[in-house]
């Protein structure tokens, strides 16, 4: 069982002729703990209600927290509450056919979604053990992210540099906001289901983000965050090789931007000191081309030497 989320709903309880009505079911008795904790309230008019189908009944409401799980073995959605009495009700055919879509739609009504349904199954869940990460498409800080899905728009994201896949070899450019955009060929990507399903990767923290419709229900959105340093490092090694193959004069600076490893700046300074160029004039030229100032990083390099 894979936990997805918890949603609070109002269970409408109908009272008529000494009987009780919930959904399409009729009960002669209800637990005293339920009866003593159900209320009438005008403040709940806009809350999500599972309504009784019976006509001409007096109504009260019971607030119920419902935990939604993905049963990986049987490939179905299961619902569990902390009150045993309600478990049969919320897993009934009537509840699932008439209310489950509404529950999902209500929970995800403000969620940004990508339309594609990805290949996320039991094997994937067990191999990568994803964490739920709500609203991952609203992440604003995209510094040193690798974009894998071309639907992801970086125009409103904050970053110093970001990488994308749309060239046959390594390229880079600086946009009007002085942000560096690196481009790499798709050959940098290893062949595995994590890469196939991910939309973007935080290279600083080895986090892979996924947004997908569920194959079980089109109204259920799967939002995952997966930590995997091994696969991130595989990608980073390929990115470094592509930069080195490009024979770019600023390659050490580019690799430092991706790795944050000071050894690449150290390599650059050694190279400069062994040339006839003035260090100060060279650094001024680098800063001008990359639209970034590395004084703080270079100071850390001297401090740690």
């Amino acid at each position: 069982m894979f936990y997805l989320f918890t949603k609070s709903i109002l269970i409408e309880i109908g009272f008529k002729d000494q009987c009780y009505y919930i959904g399409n079911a009729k009960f002669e008795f209800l637990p005293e703990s339920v009866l003593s904790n159900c209320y009438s309230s005008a403040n709940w008019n806009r809350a999500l209600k599972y309504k009784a189908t019976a006509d001409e009944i007096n109504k009260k409401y019971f607030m119920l927290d419902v935990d939604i799980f993905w049963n990986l073995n049987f490939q179905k959605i299961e619902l569990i509450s902390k009150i045993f009495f309600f478990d049969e009700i919320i897993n009934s055919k009537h509840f699932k056919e008439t209310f489950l879509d509404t529950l999902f739609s209500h929970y995800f009504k403000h969620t940004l979604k990508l339309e594609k349904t990805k290949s996320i199954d039991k094997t994937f869940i067990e191999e990568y053990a994803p964490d739920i990460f709500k609203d991952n498409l609203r992440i604003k800080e995209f510094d040193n992210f690798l974009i894998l899905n071309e639907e992801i728009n970086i125009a409103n994201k904050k970053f110093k540099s970001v990488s994308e896949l749309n060239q046959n070899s390594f390229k880079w450019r600086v946009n009007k906001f002085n942000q560096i955009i690196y481009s790499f060929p798709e050959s940098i990507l290893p062949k595995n289901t994590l890469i196939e399903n991910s939309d973007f990767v935080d290279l600083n923290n080895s986090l892979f983000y996924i947004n997908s419709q569920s194959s079980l229900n089109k109204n259920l959105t799967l939002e995952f965050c997966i930590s995997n340093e091994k696969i991130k490092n595989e990608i980073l090694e390929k990115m470094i090789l592509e930069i080195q193959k490009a024979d770019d004069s600023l390659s050490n600076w580019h690799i430092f931007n991706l790795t944050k490893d000071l050894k690449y700046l150290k390599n650059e300074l050694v190279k400069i000191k062994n040339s006839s160029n003035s260090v100060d004039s060279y650094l001024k030229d680098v800063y001008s081309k990359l639209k970034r100032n590395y004084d703080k990083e270079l100071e850390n390099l001297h401090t740690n030497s």
Side-chain angles (χ1 to χ4, degrees):
M1 297 277 280
F2 182 78
Y3 171 78
L4 293 170
F5 63 91
T6 297
K7 176 68 177 170
S8 296
I9 64 174
L10 290 177
I11 302 292
E12 186 175 83
I13 300 176
F15 298 78
K16 182 179 180 181
D17 299 332
Q18 296 185 328
C19 289
Y20 308 98
Y21 299 84
I22 299 176
N24 67 338
K26 178 181 177 180
F27 301 87
E28 292 186 1
F29 302 98
L30 291 185
E32 183 59 35
S33 60
V34 172
L35 291 174
S36 60
N37 287 285
C38 61
Y39 306 95
S40 299
S41 174
N43 294 331
W44 291 350
N45 285 342
R46 298 177 64 185
L48 183 61
K49 300 184 184 76
Y50 177 54
K51 296 184 177 181
T53 60
D55 297 324
E56 298 180 2
I57 54 176
N58 295 317
K59 301 171 184 177
K60 288 189 176 182
Y61 301 95
F62 185 89
M63 179 67 76
L64 184 71
D65 288 336
V66 180
D67 297 327
I68 290 85
F69 289 86
W70 175 3
N71 187 319
L72 299 171
N73 290 325
F74 294 98
Q75 285 301 297
K76 64 178 183 178
I77 299 298
E78 291 191 12
L79 297 89
I80 298 175
S81 76
K82 291 182 173 62
I83 302 175
F84 179 76
F85 168 77
F86 285 108
D87 282 352
E88 186 173 348
I89 293 170
I90 61 180
N91 284 289
S92 68
K93 181 179 179 182
H94 182 267
F95 186 98
K96 290 192 172 181
E97 288 183 350
T98 66
F99 192 71
L100 193 58
D101 282 352
T102 302
L103 187 154
F104 287 152
S105 297
H106 193 273
Y107 183 80
F108 293 107
K109 64 182 176 181
H110 298 304
T111 299
L112 297 179
K113 304 169 189 176
L114 299 176
E115 296 302 318
K116 185 179 177 182
T117 300
K118 300 184 173 72
S119 302
I120 300 170
D121 56 14
K122 176 184 177 182
T123 302
F124 180 87
I125 296 293
E126 291 178 344
E127 181 176 0
Y128 296 109
D131 291 320
I132 301 295
F133 190 92
K134 190 84 172 89
D135 281 340
N136 57 23
L137 295 184
R138 285 191 168 89
I139 295 176
K140 289 293 184 184
E141 299 287 344
F142 253 48
D143 192 43
N144 207 22
F145 277 35
L146 170 62
I147 312 303
L148 301 178
N149 188 332
E150 59 187 16
E151 290 184 60
I152 303 297
N153 185 357
I154 62 172
N156 63 344
K157 305 298 185 182
K158 297 178 181 179
F159 61 88
K160 290 183 178 179
S161 59
V162 72
S163 299
E164 58 186 15
L165 304 169
N166 64 6
Q167 297 288 340
N168 293 324
S169 59
F170 170 73
K171 305 287 183 185
W172 66 278
R173 68 184 190 278
V174 179
N175 65 17
K176 63 181 180 180
F177 303 109
N178 293 338
Q179 297 167 312
I180 303 174
I181 300 174
Y182 292 120
S183 300
F184 292 89
E186 288 193 14
S187 59
I188 66 169
L189 301 179
K191 302 293 183 182
N192 57 60
T193 52
L194 180 56
I195 293 299
E196 292 166 6
N197 287 308
S198 294
D199 297 298
F200 48 89
V201 187
D202 180 350
L203 296 174
N204 290 335
N205 298 298
S206 305
L207 298 176
F208 294 73
Y209 291 91
I210 297 171
N211 183 291
S212 175
Q213 285 187 350
S214 169
S215 59
L216 299 177
N217 187 302
K218 66 179 182 180
N219 296 303
L220 171 59
T221 303
L222 302 177
E223 296 182 286
F224 294 150
C225 178
I226 297 171
S227 176
N228 194 304
E229 189 169 7
K230 180 173 182 276
I231 294 178
K232 187 273 301 215
N233 286 338
E234 288 181 39
I235 297 171
L236 208 51
E237 287 173 9
K238 292 283 187 68
M239 296 172 85
I240 292 170
L241 287 175
E242 288 294 328
I243 294 173
Q244 291 171 337
K245 277 168 41 180
D247 197 28
D248 191 299
S249 62
L250 301 175
S251 60
N252 279 320
W253 301 94
H254 298 314
I255 297 173
F256 171 75
N257 289 340
L258 290 175
T259 64
K260 305 298 186 286
D261 190 336
L262 288 170
K263 75 179 183 182
Y264 293 101
L265 297 191
K266 186 175 182 180
N267 293 343
E268 188 69 12
L269 290 183
V270 169
K271 184 175 71 174
I272 299 166
K273 289 176 180 177
N274 290 335
S275 71
S276 57
N277 295 326
S278 162
V279 173
D280 289 340
S281 62
Y282 176 78
L283 291 178
K284 184 178 179 181
D285 183 57
V286 169
Y287 295 177
S288 174
K289 289 177 179 176
L290 295 178
K291 307 301 181 185
R292 286 179 63 174
N293 185 308
Y294 293 86
D295 284 345
K296 184 177 180 180
E297 289 86 350
L298 292 173
E299 183 179 340
N300 289 337
L301 180 62
H302 290 306
T303 300
N304 296 327
S305 297

